[in-house]
Amino acid sequence: MALRETFNEDAELYDRARPTYPPGLVAQLARAAGLGPGRRVLEVAPGTGQLTLPLAEFGGEVTAVELGPDMAAVARRRLRAFPHVSVEVADFDEWPLPAEPFDLMVCATAWHWLAPDTRAEKAADALAPGGLLGVVVTDHVAGGTTEFFYRSQRCYQRWDPATPPGLLLREAAEIPTRAEEFERCPRFENVAVTRYFQEITYTTDAYLDVLLTYSNHRALDAARREGLLGCIRELIDSGYGGRVTKRYLHQLITATRTESSRVDL
């Protein structure tokens, strides 16, 4: 099984544990794209609707393309109050684009799962000239209960053989913008990056639930995964009173589809 398919193994857990996006990020995306009734929106890899739901509230016609059928089913349930939203089960890399282009294409915390050689071109194909591409990149950065994340590396080094030695969280200022891909593509212009932060405090159980939504944790064999989670549980309960705070950096990268026709590269 490919790592990107592991998210579908427990869609209800994913829906319960994964954080939503900062309201400021959603508002900025809506302003930049001019969202509202009559606007056509394509969301790629919506998961269970963490970003789809607030986008739907602006009243545009939203098409969400999700790889996992169980994830899509949860998203449909969450979005049933919005008849102008449809969720399709498909691999976006192979999904045939509709004849009518979109005003906004958005992909949140999933762009890295798309085919790197074709994703920017296909995004441009999906958009009308002047349409907006919005990509959200999420990183876990230094902050929150910093000591816990340092100490938890002992658990990873014991139970996950892929853990690099001395791995530490980076400061937000050290995280690259990852905008170069869009700046290099001749079919996009006006590339901009806006950063948003949020800190979320988790109970022990809630934090372990979050870990179980990460592909690398799910890919561990059962014995290693249970050992890792048990080690982290003991650390949180004994050292931090059963609560830890995690700091997220969300980068909203926006780029405008140029007026020119397709460029063959």
Side-chain angles (χ1 to χ4, degrees), residues 112-159:
H112 57 288
W113 293 118
L114 304 183
D117 294 337
T118 58
R119 59 194 179 193
E121 275 291 318
K122 187 160 187 179
D125 288 342
L127 290 165
L132 189 76
L133 173 64
V135 173
V136 181
V137 181
T138 299
D139 288 284
H140 178 199
V141 296
T145 314
T146 303
E147 184 190 58
F148 159 74
F149 294 104
Y150 174 77
R151 293 176 64 190
S152 69
Q153 290 309 303
R154 302 174 196 169
C155 296
Y156 284 94
Q157 289 167 359
R158 178 180 178 186
W159 294 103

Side-chain angles (χ1 to χ4, degrees), residues 189-248:
E189 59 187 359
N190 303 324
V191 179
V193 181
T194 312
R195 292 186 160 202
Y196 300 87
F197 295 91
Q198 64 174 332
E199 290 192 353
I200 300 177
T201 298
Y202 295 99
T203 63
T204 303
D205 286 340
Y207 185 69
L208 295 182
D209 280 349
V210 170
L211 295 184
L212 282 171
T213 70
Y214 296 158
S215 60
N216 59 333
H217 290 67
R218 299 198 68 87
L220 290 172
D221 66 61
R224 288 185 180 277
R225 185 168 58 248
E226 291 306 311
L228 173 62
L229 296 179
C231 182
I232 292 175
R233 177 183 292 280
E234 171 63 23
L235 179 58
I236 297 175
D237 286 343
S238 64
Y240 300 92
R243 302 177 73 86
V244 291
T245 300
K246 185 180 179 77
R247 190 176 198 225
Y248 296 91

Side-chain angles (χ1 to χ4, degrees), residues 3-51:
L3 280 178
R4 66 175 183 165
E5 297 176 18
T6 62
F7 303 111
N8 194 62
E9 293 176 338
D10 194 339
E12 296 291 350
L13 173 66
Y14 188 99
D15 186 54
R16 181 175 72 249
R18 278 293 177 110
T20 56
Y21 293 94
L25 183 155
V26 178
Q28 172 60 24
L29 183 60
R31 283 194 300 269
L35 287 189
R39 302 288 278 176
R40 284 174 50 79
V41 178
L42 170 63
E43 184 179 5
V44 176
T48 56
Q50 282 73 13
L51 183 59

Side-chain angles (χ1 to χ4, degrees), residues 90-127:
D91 181 345
F92 176 72
D93 293 330
E94 301 174 3
W95 184 62
L97 295 173
E100 186 178 356
F102 295 90
D103 302 298
L104 169 67
M105 174 178 152
V106 63
C107 183
T109 317
W111 184 256
H112 57 288
W113 293 118
L114 304 183
D117 294 337
T118 58
R119 59 194 179 193
E121 275 291 318
K122 187 160 187 179
D125 288 342
L127 290 165

